[in-house]
Every structure is written in C-alpha cells, then in structure tokens.
Amino acid sequence: MKLLLDENLPRKLKSLLPEHKVYTVSEMNWAGKKNGELLSLMIQNNFEALITGDKNLQHQQNFSTYPIPVILLNTKFITYPDLLPIIPKPLSTLRASLPPGPTIISD
C-alpha cells in the first residue's frame, strides 16, 4: 500500500511500516501544504492512505470531496516514544479495507 506520513509525525515511524511504500510529506516536497491541497495531491499521485496525528483534520475536511482513508494516531503526544506502543494497531488496520475519511487509532 502506498502511504503518506504527515509532517506532524516523526519520520522514524516510516521504518515501522516495512510492508508498505511509505513516503513522508517532506520527501514529496509537500511541506507546508494545507490539508485540502495535500489530500488532492495524494489523489493525483495514487496514494492509498494518509497517516497523521492531526486531530482537527477529521473536522476540517469533506471526505466526499477527498475520498482518501486517513489513519489518525490519537495519543496525548505525537513523539516517537508515545506512538511506538500503538503502531501494531494501524498495521492491522492497514490490512483491512479502509473507508474514506478518518479511522482513529487511540492509545
């Protein structure tokens, strides 16, 4: 699966998703893009899902306009040590058929 790792997450998370093609926002030269523009770029570039820590994204975007699955890692802090314990959850979620819009993974 071709995934985009949002710029608000540690890049180290990429190494924990070896069975997927994971790109960071900075690798795609999309740093600083607004959420709607980022989702449009993802569709144009055949990304299959976004992994983010942005808790507001689910309230700010119309996912009928941007039919992209979004995995929201919902932890108190979005540091690598805080996210590490919940990584098995999104891995199993990625094996399922994801609907467009947010899928919230909490600690």
Side-chain angles (χ1 to χ4, degrees), residues 25-68:
V25 167
S26 62
E27 286 173 334
M28 297 301 297
N29 294 316
W30 296 344
K33 301 286 185 194
K34 300 285 184 193
N35 289 334
E37 185 179 4
L38 184 65
L39 294 170
S40 290
L41 286 167
M42 288 180 65
I43 292 168
Q44 292 169 22
N45 289 274
N46 301 311
F47 278 90
E48 298 171 82
L50 171 67
I51 302 175
T52 186
D54 184 352
K55 295 176 176 88
N56 292 318
L57 182 70
Q58 63 184 332
H59 305 293
Q60 296 171 340
Q61 297 305 315
N62 178 350
F63 286 99
S64 61
T65 303
Y66 306 109
I68 291 280

Side-chain angles (χ1 to χ4, degrees), residues 62-77:
N62 178 350
F63 286 99
S64 61
T65 303
Y66 306 109
I68 291 280
V70 175
I71 296 175
L72 170 60
L73 302 179
N74 185 24
T75 57
K76 185 173 182 179
F77 301 104

